[in-house]
Amino acid sequence: MLKDKVTELLNKALQENDSLFLIDFSITLDNKIKVVLDGDAGVTLKDCMAISRAIEHNLDREEEDFALEVASAGATSPLVLPRQYKKNLGKKLEVKTTGENIEGVLTEAAEDRIVLEWKAREPKPVGKGKITVQKRQEIAISDIKEAKVVLKF
């Protein structure tokens, strides 16, 4: 079956470059194969070409016609794996949980949780005016509905 063969080839190719990891993989009914990758140090065009070749050169078009697309997760794509948080340490994230939206700098990333930090203006405890306070929040990865890196232009 095509899906099993592609899965096997994809896994073998990813083992050869352990800084790359799979974000999404699908095959449509008309044999359009789509592979979305990310990497600990990003994904280059060369990486995509290597994975594409590893799959394409080991499939027989005489047996089964197919189309193949290998792409990197876009800069605006939501983070879906704990490994993606680790590569984005120090960057500003926008995180949506069930109860709130938080924007802050990712300062810690583990398999099950992340920590965001940010500055906020709050009323002084005594007297008039506001003070800037450092906020820190730990969020379980299981509580995250969506997390994206905030791009600066």
Side-chain angles (χ1 to χ4, degrees):
M1 195 174 150
L2 183 64
K3 185 163 185 140
D4 296 337
K5 180 76 173 155
V6 173
T7 301
E8 182 184 319
L9 293 168
L10 182 56
N11 288 336
K12 186 177 177 199
L14 288 172
Q15 284 172 355
E16 290 173 16
N17 186 342
D18 63 359
S19 75
L20 297 178
F21 49 95
L22 186 64
I23 297 297
D24 193 26
F25 165 59
S26 61
I27 300 180
T28 62
L29 294 173
D30 57 347
N31 290 346
K32 286 185 182 153
I33 304 164
K34 182 169 183 175
V35 176
V36 180
L37 304 170
D38 203 346
D40 296 325
V43 179
T44 65
L45 180 59
K46 191 175 173 184
D47 293 331
C48 289
M49 288 169 50
I51 298 295
S52 179
R53 283 190 191 114
I55 295 169
E56 192 170 5
H57 291 186
N58 291 293
L59 292 178
D60 186 356
R61 285 193 188 273
E62 300 297 319
E63 253 176 59
E64 217 152 355
D65 192 32
F66 64 90
L68 174 62
E69 178 188 346
V70 177
S72 63
T76 58
S77 300
L79 306 180
V80 293
L81 299 176
R83 191 168 175 179
Q84 287 179 289
Y85 290 97
K86 289 178 182 145
K87 85 169 216 177
N88 284 296
L89 281 168
K91 293 184 181 165
K92 188 180 234 183
L93 297 188
E94 180 182 341
V95 177
K96 294 177 183 169
T97 65
T98 322
E100 60 188 333
N101 291 356
I102 306 162
E103 199 170 285
V105 175
L106 180 64
T107 57
E108 290 178 40
E111 285 300 308
D112 60 341
R113 64 178 180 79
I114 63 169
V115 174
L116 292 181
E117 293 185 16
W118 68 97
K119 287 183 171 44
R121 298 282 292 162
E122 292 185 350
K124 286 183 177 177
V126 177
K128 293 182 179 179
K130 293 189 173 203
I131 56 170
T132 301
V133 293
Q134 182 70 27
K135 296 283 201 170
R136 181 181 193 277
Q137 185 163 341
E138 187 172 301
I139 305 164
I141 287 185
S142 59
D143 291 343
I144 298 173
K145 288 194 171 226
E146 184 179 83
K148 288 185 175 181
V149 174
V150 176
L151 299 175
K152 293 182 217 163
F153 294 100

